[in-house]
């Protein structure tokens, strides 16, 4: 499990742009608070190879998913704290909020850490509220 700015990073399939090449369907870890994205360590080598091949072939867009086997995907999902798909964004945000609240209980003596966690909680709560509003509007 990887942490970033007080939140655990979430597994997701996304697009990463590297060296002016857009690589789609890449297993990534991303932070729900600051939105940082990293290529998952289990596929980093394959990702770098795909980027190099695309540069050599002068291709601006490619996909990584075809070069990843099922064992790698299973390893990737086990490595992640959570795996976000379109239908479970709300549960992921709630898990992140619960985790931040647990950490806040522990960190009472450390005021700097507590302040950082409160900022993360505010961001996560706002995202959850926006998700709930968008669900209400779509119904």
């Amino acid at each position: 499990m990887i942490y970033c700015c007080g939140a655990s990073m979430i597994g997701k399939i996304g697009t990463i742009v590297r060296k002016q090449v857009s690589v789609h369907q890449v297993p990534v870890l991303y932070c729900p608070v600051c939105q940082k994205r990293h290529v998952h360590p289990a596929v980093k080598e394959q990702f770098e190879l795909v980027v190099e091949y695309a540069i050599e072939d002068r291709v601006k867009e490619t996909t990584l998913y075809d070069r990843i086997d099922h064992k790698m995907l299973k390893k990737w999902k086990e490595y992640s704290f959570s795996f976000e798909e379109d239908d479970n964004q709300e549960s992921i945000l709630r898990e992140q909020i619960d985790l931040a609240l647990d950490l806040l209980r522990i960190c009472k003596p450390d005021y700097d850490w507590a302040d950082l966690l409160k900022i993360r909680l505010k961001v996560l709560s706002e995202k959850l509220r926006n998700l709930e509003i968008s669900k209400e509007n779509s119904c």
Side-chain angles (χ1 to χ4, degrees):
M1 193 173 347
I2 295 177
Y3 294 94
C4 178
C5 68
S8 58
M9 299 195 70
I10 297 171
K12 180 177 183 168
I13 302 255
T15 298
I16 300 282
V17 178
R18 177 88 37 94
K19 298 179 183 176
Q20 299 180 338
V21 175
S22 294
V23 184
H24 303 289
Q25 296 180 316
V26 178
V28 297
L29 295 171
Y30 89 100
C31 177
V33 176
C34 68
Q35 305 300 312
K36 284 185 185 174
R37 297 172 153 229
H38 303 285
V39 175
H40 189 281
V43 297
K44 192 157 179 90
E45 270 185 48
Q46 289 80 5
F47 174 79
E48 295 298 334
L49 285 173
V50 165
V51 170
E52 291 304 318
Y53 292 151
I55 290 170
E56 288 174 11
D57 295 343
R58 296 188 176 130
V59 174
K60 294 292 180 190
E61 288 190 45
T62 187
T63 183
L64 180 66
Y65 202 75
D66 298 337
R67 300 204 163 117
I68 300 171
D69 62 19
H70 295 290
K71 289 180 185 178
M72 293 171 96
L73 285 175
K74 184 179 177 186
K75 180 180 175 185
W76 172 61
K77 286 182 180 181
E78 288 173 359
Y79 184 83
S80 303
F81 175 73
S82 300
F83 180 73
E84 182 178 294
E85 297 177 89
D86 291 336
D87 60 342
N88 74 346
Q89 289 178 343
E90 184 177 345
S91 64
I92 296 288
L93 285 171
R94 290 187 188 282
E95 285 176 13
Q96 293 289 320
I97 290 170
D98 288 345
L99 182 62
L101 287 170
D102 290 342
L103 289 172
L104 189 59
R105 242 182 281 147
I106 294 169
C107 76
K108 291 287 184 190
D110 187 341
Y111 296 111
D112 292 336
W113 188 22
D115 290 342
L116 288 173
L117 285 168
K118 288 175 186 175
I119 292 168
R120 269 65 170 173
L121 279 166
K122 183 179 176 183
V123 171
L124 290 168
S125 297
E126 189 174 305
K127 287 182 181 228
L128 181 61
R129 191 173 325 117
N130 290 340
L131 182 63
E132 289 171 342
I133 289 170
S134 68
K135 279 186 176 181
E136 288 174 6
N137 292 339
S138 67
C139 291

